[in-house]
Amino acid sequence: MWTDKKIKIYIVIISVMAMIACGDNGHKHPRSKEQDNRLALLYDSIGYANENFLSICDSMLRQAQDSLDYYDIFVAKGGHYTIHNPADSMLYYANKTIAFIDRCEYKGERLYGLAGKAYSLKATYFHQMRQEKDSAITLFKKAYDYALQSDIKQSAADMAANTGDAYIFKDDLPKGAEWYRRALYLADSLNMPNKATASIYMGLGRIYTQMQDYKTASKYYKDAEKQYDIMQPNMRIYFLNNYGNFYYYQHDYTNALKMFQRMKYEIERTQGADGNDANDMNLCRINLADVYLNLGNIDSAQVLVNKCEPFFRKYNVEVAIYYINTIKIGICLKKNNLQCVRNIIDGENFRYAIEQPLKSIRARYMKDYYIMIGNYDKALEIIEQSRQEEDSLAHNKMNMRTNEIMLRFTADTLKLHHQIAINKKNDEMNAAYLTIAIVILLLIILMLGTAYLIIYIRKRKLQEQLSIINLRLENARQRISPHFVFNVLNQQIGKHDDNDNTLVEMSKLIRYNLELMGKSYISLAEEMEFVDHYVSIQKKLIGDSMHYIKNIKGDIEHIIVPAMIVQILVENSVKHGLKAIEGEKYLTISIWQENETTYITVEDNGPGFNCCKQNNNSTSTGLKVVRQIINLTNSNNKAKIKFAICNITSTDGDNILGCRASLTIPNNIKYITNNTDFKK
């Protein structure tokens, strides 16, 4: 059956696939990742017959970054004309690219890759037009050699398959099979994806079908069919066409019909209404016409011939016209119209040689024709030619088997060299990885050692700061307590009131003070108990005019604060606030929790806070110690303790109504002590 146009499309796909692969191997002009992606998308659009392909190419050419980038796109644009008219444009793009390569001073992998694409495109022109078949083979081989030296080494398998196709159309099946097998072995050696090998399986299946080795052909078609779902639409059409021919040559016309009907459905599904007047659909019609003729459905065969003949005569596709005439001869014989056959033969005048498979189909009908007209000599001549062809096929099979053995040996050697190269690279990479791992390990050890040293120095510094602050806090406690104790004792000695329990409260206060001497941080509940004793004694010293108010919300038993932090604020309020005014005196302590934070405020209704009038007394010293402890604690935490003192003013802001000291303590604060770290 005729596969000429389908083979053209196949050659296009092979050529396109050869253009896609690219990589950065350290040559002078490596392609960027962006360039690789753009080219891959561009070539994909050829495979899917993108109608905007030419405008996309022109846009990319305007954005080309260098000459090599420009000609990569330029030669890809030439690939458009492998499946679209005018086909002569292929030569323009190929020759212009080859001229650039010849004058280019830089020689390297990327330029060799470009040369492989250009020579493949030029070879495709001669192959499609059935002109200079030897030139097509020479050019495909040249493209193959360039690909092996280039940054697109994986495309060498596709170039080998192209060369195999060129040999097939020269009717040299052994050479065709040799190059297809070379392509397959290269694909296996280079671990190419299944999608890339499917077309090679199809080509081998077609060769073995023509060799009448249907068992081997079936194996390759089944291997190709496994990749059907990942094939591009035009590759599916090509596969179904060849698979239908496989059944046709075995005279299994029922299965051949199924394959060609699937082919028709695939064309309609992917090309829609536009496909009715395109190459693919008209090729499918020829195949269906021949199958219907052999199934005895003459009317359907005639309808299909009438539909496709105008298309091929319009473009003067000789091989298609020859095949159509063969089907028409068969129809005439079925109708016993011998004059019709003579008219068809007399009207033929072909310039180019016709492939052997189509000549074999014609010979079957012509043998019947000569028998019907009584020209037995001519019929015997055709039979003798068929016998010679059978002998030639047997000879070709023998040559193919010999070539397969030699090619397997070559392929095994190639695989061995490839594996040796891979092992060598692996050894080099392993050595590099080991060196990198050692360097990284040393860097990690150095970083950990440095981090440990920094943490150790920092912690030691914090401990020293804490020790200094503890000494200052201890000094503050010692300065606060004696004066207060003597004042209370003097007052009680003067009163001689046996019912007054002030001395008892004083003893409790002293006991708490002694307990706090060894602690840097205590629970807020303990702190408030100490404050309560302190305020109780101050109320008796000041009198009934002093009012103590506590607003505590929530559990404060497990909240940790610096020791005496609230007591110092309370002492500050009593000494500088309440004792400085006449009349009613109010001291208010508020504690509440919100959003994982504890809030503490100490308020009085004294004359307010004036930092300029602070003396170097016990309270100001205590406030300095509190600030230092807070600063030290904050330096070790992301969350910060906040401390502020401000005046309480009237609504209009003109009058000071008192003073407020505020503490904001996050609940996840981590405190540093002389012994260990702990959290609230």
Side-chain angles (χ1 to χ4, degrees):
M1 311 236 354
W2 182 65
T3 58
D4 180 67
K5 279 292 180 180
K6 300 309 296 181
I7 298 307
K8 290 181 183 180
I9 294 176
Y10 170 62
I11 293 297
V12 173
I13 299 302
I14 292 295
S15 301
V16 168
M17 291 173 64
M19 298 176 189
I20 293 178
C22 59
D24 183 358
N25 293 298
H27 43 66
K28 185 177 178 182
H29 300 284
R31 262 190 295 270
S32 67
K33 185 71 173 177
E34 180 183 357
Q35 288 173 316
D36 285 344
N37 292 336
R38 284 189 305 144
L39 283 175
L41 291 173
L42 181 63
Y43 293 128
D44 280 344
S45 64
I46 295 179
Y48 286 91
N50 191 324
E51 59 183 11
N52 298 319
F53 180 80
L54 293 178
S55 60
I56 294 172
C57 285
D58 291 337
S59 175
M60 292 176 66
L61 287 171
R62 288 192 293 271
Q63 300 173 26
Q65 300 177 12
D66 53 48
S67 296
L68 285 174
D69 186 28
Y70 179 90
Y71 278 99
D72 273 331
I73 302 166
F74 184 80
V75 78
K77 183 178 179 181
H80 170 80
Y81 296 101
T82 57
I83 54 177
H84 295 281
N85 289 325
D88 289 347
S89 295
M90 280 188 280
L91 278 180
Y92 166 76
Y93 287 94
N95 288 334
K96 189 171 181 180
T97 305
I98 291 171
F100 164 75
I101 294 167
D102 290 340
R103 66 175 182 268
C104 188
E105 295 182 1
Y106 156 72
K107 304 296 180 185
E109 290 189 344
R110 185 174 173 190
L111 188 72
Y112 293 146
L114 181 62
K117 302 170 189 175
Y119 282 109
S120 178
L121 181 62
K122 188 171 183 178
T124 301
Y125 168 77
F126 290 123
H127 183 69
Q128 282 193 8
M129 302 303 293
R130 296 297 184 271
Q131 298 176 6
E132 303 179 34
K133 293 182 180 180
D134 290 332
S135 295
I137 292 173
T138 301
L139 290 169
F140 275 134
K141 286 182 177 180
K142 198 167 186 177
Y144 169 79
D145 291 336
Y146 273 119
L148 286 178
Q149 306 174 64
S150 73
D151 60 343
I152 55 170
K153 288 183 176 62
Q154 287 189 329
S155 68
D158 301 321
M159 303 297 188
N162 290 345
T163 308
D165 261 333
Y167 272 115
I168 291 171
F169 282 102
K170 196 183 174 185
D171 289 329
D172 191 343
L173 295 181
K175 276 292 184 181
E178 175 188 336
W179 278 90
Y180 257 111
R181 284 197 170 277
R182 180 176 301 188
L184 185 60
Y185 288 132
L186 274 173
D188 291 341
S189 300
L190 297 173
N191 295 318
M192 292 174 64
N194 292 333
K195 182 178 180 180
T197 58
S199 59
I200 300 175
Y201 289 139
M202 283 186 261
L204 285 167
R206 185 161 56 87
I207 290 172
Y208 282 98
T209 296
Q210 289 184 223
M211 297 292 296
Q212 299 179 9
D213 185 349
Y214 299 117
K215 182 178 180 181
T216 305
S218 177
K219 172 185 175 299
Y220 285 116
Y221 278 125
K222 288 178 180 178
D223 287 340
E225 190 171 23
K226 294 175 184 177
Q227 316 306 326
Y228 185 84
D229 291 339
I230 61 174
M231 291 180 190
Q232 291 182 330
N234 46 9
M235 287 299 289
R236 290 182 181 181
I237 294 168
Y238 171 67
F239 168 75
L240 294 171
N241 183 78
N242 280 1
Y243 214 170
N245 290 340
F246 166 76
Y247 287 114
Y248 174 88
Y249 283 116
Q250 297 179 80
H251 308 295
D252 185 352
Y253 301 117
T254 301
N255 280 319
L257 180 62
K258 291 179 181 178
M259 286 297 170
F260 292 134
Q261 286 175 336
R262 280 180 63 187
M263 177 182 172
K264 179 175 180 292
Y265 168 77
E266 187 69 29
I267 295 170
E268 292 172 341
R269 185 183 69 84
T270 57
Q271 299 181 14
D274 295 337
N276 289 328
D277 295 322
N279 288 343
D280 291 341
M281 183 59 77
N282 285 288
L283 296 176
C284 184
R285 286 167 180 161
I286 293 180
N287 292 335
L288 284 170
D290 197 0
V291 171
Y292 280 128
L293 175 61
N294 283 277
L295 288 172
N297 192 340
I298 300 173
D299 292 339
S300 295
Q302 186 67 63
V303 170
L304 290 168
V305 166
N306 292 340
K307 282 186 177 181
C308 65
E309 185 174 10
F311 175 84
F312 292 115
R313 291 198 178 276
K314 175 182 177 182
Y315 293 104
N316 195 29
V317 184
E318 288 190 352
V319 68
I321 295 170
Y322 178 88
Y323 190 25
I324 288 172
N325 284 348
T326 299
I327 297 172
K328 290 167 70 176
I329 288 172
I331 293 173
C332 292
L333 290 176
K334 292 285 186 181
K335 295 180 178 180
N336 202 26
N337 189 345
L338 302 181
Q339 184 58 45
C340 171
V341 175
R342 173 50 55 190
N343 293 340
I344 293 172
I345 296 173
D346 291 342
E348 290 183 332
N349 182 24
F350 299 112
R351 294 175 297 168
Y352 300 111
I354 304 299
E355 282 77 25
Q356 187 59 45
L358 294 181
K359 287 162 55 174
S360 297
I361 296 173
R362 171 72 69 92
R364 288 189 356 235
Y365 293 117
M366 293 306 298
K367 180 190 68 174
D368 293 340
Y369 167 73
Y370 286 122
I371 290 174
M372 292 175 70
I373 65 173
N375 191 343
Y376 300 106
D377 291 339
K378 197 67 174 176
L380 286 172
E381 181 182 332
I382 293 175
I383 293 172
E384 179 61 24
Q385 288 177 351
S386 298
R387 187 187 64 78
Q388 291 176 1
E389 289 172 10
E390 290 291 336
D391 292 341
S392 177
L393 283 176
H395 179 71
N396 284 340
K397 287 179 182 179
M398 185 179 298
N399 287 341
M400 285 175 60
R401 297 307 179 196
T402 304
N403 288 338
E404 284 176 17
I405 294 172
M406 294 303 297
L407 195 58
R408 282 198 182 104
F409 175 77
T410 303
D412 290 341
T413 304
L414 178 65
K415 283 186 178 180
L416 179 60
H417 287 307
H418 183 64
Q419 189 61 47
I420 291 172
I422 290 176
N423 291 340
K424 183 178 179 181
K425 287 184 179 180
N426 287 340
D427 291 340
E428 292 173 354
M429 290 177 64
N430 289 336
Y433 288 151
L434 180 60
T435 303
I436 293 171
I438 292 173
V439 172
I440 292 174
L441 181 61
L442 291 175
L443 288 175
I444 291 173
I445 293 173
L446 180 62
M447 291 172 62
L448 290 175
T450 303
Y452 175 80
L453 183 61
I454 292 172
I455 293 172
Y456 174 79
I457 294 173
R458 183 184 175 194
K459 190 167 184 179
R460 187 167 182 178
K461 183 178 179 181
L462 291 174
Q463 294 289 359
E464 291 174 355
Q465 291 177 346
L466 183 62
S467 298
I468 294 171
I469 291 173
N470 282 337
L471 289 174
R472 290 179 178 175
L473 182 58
E474 180 67 21
N475 182 55
R477 289 169 178 157
Q478 291 174 355
R479 292 179 64 184
I480 292 169
S481 301
H483 293 289
F484 179 61
V485 169
F486 286 131
N487 288 337
V488 174
L489 290 176
N490 288 334
Q491 182 175 346
Q492 291 302 310
I493 291 170
K495 288 175 64 176
H496 296 289
D497 188 350
D498 295 335
N499 295 323
D500 193 346
N501 61 354
T502 304
L503 290 178
V504 176
E505 292 293 331
M506 189 67 209
S507 67
K508 291 181 180 180
L509 185 65
I510 293 172
R511 178 171 58 81
Y512 271 107
N513 190 55
L514 290 173
E515 290 177 355
L516 294 178
M517 295 289 283
K519 298 181 180 180
S520 299
Y521 303 96
I522 62 174
S523 70
L524 186 53
E526 291 177 293
E527 176 74 6
M528 288 306 299
E529 187 175 356
F530 179 73
V531 169
D532 288 343
H533 287 294
Y534 174 79
V535 173
S536 175
I537 295 173
Q538 287 289 8
K539 282 187 66 177
K540 291 181 179 180
L541 294 175
I542 294 174
D544 294 337
S545 62
M546 179 178 174
H547 304 280
Y548 177 41
I549 304 169
K550 289 195 299 181
N551 296 318
I552 300 176
K553 298 179 181 179
D555 181 18
I556 62 174
E557 185 68 33
H558 302 292
I559 298 173
I560 305 301
V561 296
M564 295 185 69
I565 193 169
V566 180
Q567 190 274 337
I568 292 175
L569 299 181
V570 170
E571 183 179 355
N572 188 64
S573 290
V574 172
K575 188 170 184 179
H576 297 286
L578 302 184
K579 288 184 178 182
I581 62 173
E582 299 295 332
E584 298 297 317
K585 303 172 177 61
Y586 291 92
L587 175 67
T588 304
I589 299 176
S590 300
I591 301 174
W592 72 96
Q593 297 182 60
E594 185 178 339
N595 297 328
E596 299 297 322
T597 303
T598 300
Y599 297 90
I600 304 172
T601 62
V602 178
E603 299 179 359
D604 63 70
N605 63 334
F609 176 75
N610 188 344
C611 62
C612 298
K613 294 182 179 181
Q614 293 301 307
N615 299 320
N616 188 21
N617 52 31
S618 62
T619 303
S620 60
T621 301
L623 291 176
K624 291 178 183 178
V625 171
V626 168
R627 287 193 177 96
Q628 288 176 337
I629 292 176
I630 291 173
N631 290 337
L632 179 62
T633 303
N634 286 345
S635 69
N636 197 47
N637 288 276
K638 290 184 179 180
K640 309 296 183 184
I641 298 176
K642 297 178 182 178
F643 171 57
I645 298 179
C646 64
N647 290 326
I648 303 172
T649 60
S650 59
T651 305
D652 55 14
D654 294 336
N655 299 317
I656 296 175
L657 304 179
C659 179
R660 179 187 298 116
S662 303
L663 284 168
T664 303
I665 306 175
N667 290 352
N668 61 348
I669 285 289
K670 182 172 70 173
Y671 294 103
I672 299 178
T673 70
N674 285 325
N675 299 318
T676 183
D677 297 349
F678 67 96
K679 293 184 179 180
K680 291 194 288 181

